[in-house]
């Protein structure tokens, strides 16, 4: 499949949401209402939007996404997704490599990411790309923030 990787455009919003709902079943989990993909897009458009990438096929259809960030110390990668019908064609690899290059160009020395522990196939994917588990415990805490208005 011939694809192009480019920066996300707001016009891609609905196609990206459809892809994420397909690729991330957890977005359909109503017990986790804090997962709001539309708000994730809105927030990313306000923070390093140049690190939000999509893979588009020859017809312009969105078949993959990767959202990266750099905080001046580490790079992070989120929302890597490839459409079911386009998997195992190397698109996920290309998206990760693209994000790695963009982060390296900013001076980022290490890229971190988290994978849900019940996704062994995703861990296998990252292992194939040279990623290894760090000897750390991943901690997190939700913060109360005023949510910006999501894009339409
Ligand atoms: C993970 C994901 C992005 C991989 O995308 P992809 O385009 O299919 O990956 P690639 O074609 O680049 O795969 C590269 C290599 O990774 C490994 N790999 C990919 N998918 C795999 C799977 N399901 N099981 C085992 N290994 C896998 C293989 O070694 C593969 O090489 P090969 O096809 O020559 O054997 C895709 O499966 C996906 O969107 N999953 C659902 C969303 C998700 O959970 N994202 C991760 C969030 S942290």
């Amino acid at each position: 499949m011939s694809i192009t990787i480019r920066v996300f455009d707001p016009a891609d919003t609905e196609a990206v949401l459809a892809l994420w709902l397909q690729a991330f079943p957890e977005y359909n989990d109503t017990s986790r209402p804090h997962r709001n993909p539309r708000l994730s897009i809105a927030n990313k458009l306000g923070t390093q939007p140049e690190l939000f990438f999509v893979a588009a096929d020859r017809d312009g259809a969105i078949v993959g996404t990767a959202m990266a960030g750099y905080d001046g110390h580490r790079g992070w990668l989120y929302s890597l997704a490839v459409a079911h019908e386009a998997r195992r064609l190397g698109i996920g690899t290309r998206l990760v490599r693209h994000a790695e290059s963009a982060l390296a160009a900013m001076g980022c020395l290490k890229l971190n990411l988290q994978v849900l522990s019940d996704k062994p196939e995703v861990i296998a994917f990252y292992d194939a790309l040279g990623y290894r588990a760090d000897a750390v415990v991943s901690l997190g805490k939700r913060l109360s923030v005023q949510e910006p208005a999501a894009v339409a």
Side-chain angles (χ1 to χ4, degrees):
M1 183 184 287
S2 165
I3 62 143
T4 304
I5 296 181
R6 60 169 172 78
V7 171
F8 171 89
D9 183 280
D12 301 323
T13 298
E14 298 308 320
V16 166
L17 289 172
L19 171 57
W20 284 357
L21 286 178
Q22 178 206 65
F24 301 117
E26 53 271 26
Y27 274 143
N28 299 302
D29 182 349
T30 51
S31 70
R32 297 178 165 189
H34 53 270
R35 294 178 190 267
N36 180 340
R38 196 176 287 277
L39 180 60
S40 298
I41 292 175
N43 286 339
K44 190 60 184 164
L45 288 176
T47 308
Q48 297 180 323
E50 69 280 10
L51 294 179
F52 185 9
F53 304 110
V54 297
D57 71 12
R58 199 188 297 264
D59 300 324
I62 303 300
V63 293
T65 63
M67 192 188 274
Y70 178 50
D71 57 20
H73 184 61
R74 294 288 184 246
W76 284 87
L77 187 64
Y78 305 92
S79 303
L80 178 74
V82 172
H84 276 300
E85 65 278 11
R87 289 186 189 169
R88 303 306 284 263
L89 297 174
I91 297 171
T93 299
R94 281 192 54 190
L95 280 161
V96 173
R97 298 296 186 223
H98 195 89
E100 289 173 351
S101 297
L103 291 167
M106 298 171 83
C108 174
L109 297 174
K110 182 166 185 263
L111 175 49
N112 291 332
L113 56 90
Q114 295 173 319
V115 180
L116 293 177
S117 49
D118 63 355
K119 290 190 172 184
E121 73 287 357
V122 180
I123 295 170
F125 164 80
Y126 280 115
D127 186 74
L129 270 64
Y131 287 75
R132 300 292 177 260
D134 287 327
V136 298
V137 175
S138 179
L139 302 178
K141 179 184 175 186
R142 299 203 176 279
L143 305 178
S144 307
V145 293
Q146 203 170 357
E147 297 186 348
V151 292

